[in-house]
């Protein structure tokens, strides 16, 4: 296969500033320490991190034909991501978010949905898009055209071709359950945050949520628990919890995407379960140490060393 991973879904330009304690009154100015532009989204953030971690990575999504699109495509290319499956859609803006990062790491957002709502993957695209050992779908609920039956068809075909499928969300809740649940029988690893998992299922706690999603057809669940670490459950009965690392958090933007990238990379390298969770958490910890979804991670070797040297909370 040409690629190690194909990352399908939500591509966003993030404009981040920190630390933002308040929005100035009227036309006044407040001075902050840092402003950055990053490629983000449940697909965009993930594909850059998989490329940094050494995987041959294909970006599958959409941008507009505006100046933001030029920057997104340039930046993907800079990190070695193959952009041959990225669509440029006329007449709509590139999806973008303004994030005001609080001193405590909170990040209230202003978002333009844009091109990601107009993006689709058709059967004519399958040979290219599915030419990867791992297919990651990210962003269900914010992909208006791809959501629903088109995503079911895509993942069904990925499984028919023997691909490993991974799946994550962004801001999903009970209202998007009808889009999420039909995908699960075609998903090997379902990787939402615990907040999303609880909101969609109506259950509380990782154990109850895992039981719910495994019962709906997922082969395995991998929940990110924020400061409490990560939780894994497989339909074969395997359960595991991995404590978080003790770090100084700068910005949590993209931590879930980095976790996904780390776990996908661990699958690629056939790491055991405990190492896979640790490596994914080290990837997320590196991103949390800087501003934006591409912060921290430099290489596979650096992330592996970080995994070995970081202190686990409570240790």
């Amino acid at each position: 296969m040409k690629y190690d991973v194909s990352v399908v879904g939500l591509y966003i330009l993030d404009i981040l500033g920190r630390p933002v304690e308040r929005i100035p009154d009227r036309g006044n100015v407040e001075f902050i320490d840092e402003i950055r532009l990053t490629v983000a989204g449940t697909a965009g953030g993930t594909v850059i991190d998989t490329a940094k971690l050494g995987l041959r990575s294909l970006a599958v999504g959409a941008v507009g034909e505006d100046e933001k699109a030029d920057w997104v495509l340039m930046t993907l290319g800079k990190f070695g991501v193959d952009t041959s499956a990225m669509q440029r859609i006329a007449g709509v803006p590139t999806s973008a978010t303004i994030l005001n990062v609080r001193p405590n790491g909170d990040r209230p957002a202003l978002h333009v949905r844009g091109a990601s709502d107009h993006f689709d993957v058709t059967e004519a695209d399958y040979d290219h898009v599915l030419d990867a050992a791992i297919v990651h779908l990210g962003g269900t609920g914010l992909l208006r055209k791809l959501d629903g039956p088109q995503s079911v068809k895509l993942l069904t075909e990925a499984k028919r071709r023997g691909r490993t499928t991974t799946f994550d969300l962004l801001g999903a809740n009970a209202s998007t359950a009808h889009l999420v649940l039909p995908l699960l029988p075609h998903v090997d690893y379902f990787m939402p945050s615990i907040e999303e998992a609880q909101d969609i299922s109506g259950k509380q706690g990782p154990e109850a949520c895992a039981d719910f999603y495994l019962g709906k057809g997922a082969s395995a669940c991998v929940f990110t628990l924020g400061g409490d670490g990560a939780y894994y459950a497989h339909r074969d009965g395997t359960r595991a919890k991995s404590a978080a690392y003790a770090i100084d958090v700068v910005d949590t933007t993209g931590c879930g995407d980095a976790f996904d990238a780390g776990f996908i990379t661990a699958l690629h390298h056939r790491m055991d379960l405990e190492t896979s969770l640790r490596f994914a958490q080290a990837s997320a910890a590196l991103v949390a140490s800087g501003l934006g979804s591409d912060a921290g991670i430099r290489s596979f070797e650096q992330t592996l060393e970080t995994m070995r040297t970081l202190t686990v909370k409570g240790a």
Side-chain angles (χ1 to χ4, degrees), residues 267-288:
L267 291 174
H268 170 76
H269 288 280
R270 294 179 169 80
M271 296 179 186
D272 62 57
L273 175 58
E274 180 182 358
T275 307
S276 296
L277 292 173
R278 285 274 164 235
F279 187 84
Q281 288 177 275
S283 302
L286 283 167
V287 167

Side-chain angles (χ1 to χ4, degrees), residues 13 32 54 64 67 115 166 180 190 235 255 259 269 272 283 303:
L13 170 65
I32 59 176
E67 75 291 343
T166 60
V180 173
F190 180 40
R235 64 184 176 191
C255 287
F259 183 95
H269 288 280
D272 62 57
S283 302
T303 306

